[in-house]
Every structure is written in C-alpha cells, then in structure tokens.
Amino acid sequence: MSHLHEDKKILNRVKRLQGQVNAIELSITHPDASCIDVLQQVAAIKGAVNGLMNELVEAHLRHHVLAQAEQVNEEELAEFLKLLKRYG
C-alpha cells in the first residue's frame, strides 16, 4: 500500500492510537488507576483500531481493486462499506 504515506487521515488515526496506548501505559503504572478507567481506554482503542481497519480496507479497495474498473457503482460500494463497518 505505497499510497498510504500520502493519506494524512490514516496517519492521524495511527498517531491518536499511539497516544491512547501511551495513556493506558501511564494509567497502569499509576497506583490509583481504576480498572474500569483502564478498561474504558482499551475499549476506545478497540474502536479506534476497527475504524483504522475500515479506512485501510476502503483505501485498498479504491486504490488496488477498483482502480482499473471502468465504472464503479458508488452506491453499491457505500452499502458494502457500511456492511463491513457493521460486522467488521
């Protein structure tokens, strides 16, 4: 996926994930950290990773699978991506 280095949206998602993981590390090393707070942070990361995965799948589809297609049904693609996000 050599085109990814040009996608600031994806890079920003990765940087936010790094920040979230660092925050968990700080929470875990803090003696007063609440288990619930740490679990909420982990759940947020899980959601963020799923969002990143969806972005990467869409980028792959658009740049590699559909790039040579003469015509793309954008409505059908949007419906597929919505389904993927729901169950992915």
Side-chain angles (χ1 to χ4, degrees):
M1 289 190 175
S2 62
H3 58 88
L4 291 177
H5 70 280
E6 300 169 350
D7 195 327
K8 291 187 186 299
K9 188 177 177 183
I10 289 176
L11 182 59
N12 287 338
R13 279 184 177 269
V14 170
K15 288 181 179 184
R16 277 195 305 275
L17 274 166
Q18 287 173 334
Q20 289 174 306
V21 170
N22 290 339
I24 288 176
E25 182 181 7
L26 288 174
S27 291
I28 289 173
T29 59
H30 194 274
D32 296 329
S34 159
C35 291
I36 296 298
D37 291 342
V38 172
L39 287 168
Q40 287 176 331
Q41 288 175 308
V42 171
I45 289 174
K46 183 178 177 183
V49 168
N50 285 340
L52 175 62
M53 183 66 155
N54 290 334
E55 290 286 331
L56 292 171
V57 167
E58 182 173 354
H60 177 74
L61 282 172
R62 290 190 180 277
H63 291 284
H64 299 287
V65 178
L66 301 174
Q68 301 301 319
E70 291 182 24
Q71 191 175 14
V72 175
N73 183 331
E74 289 294 329
E75 286 181 26
E76 192 71 29
L77 178 60
E79 199 61 33
F80 171 74
L81 291 171
K82 190 167 106 178
L83 181 72
L84 186 64
K85 288 176 186 178
R86 185 177 307 141
Y87 297 106

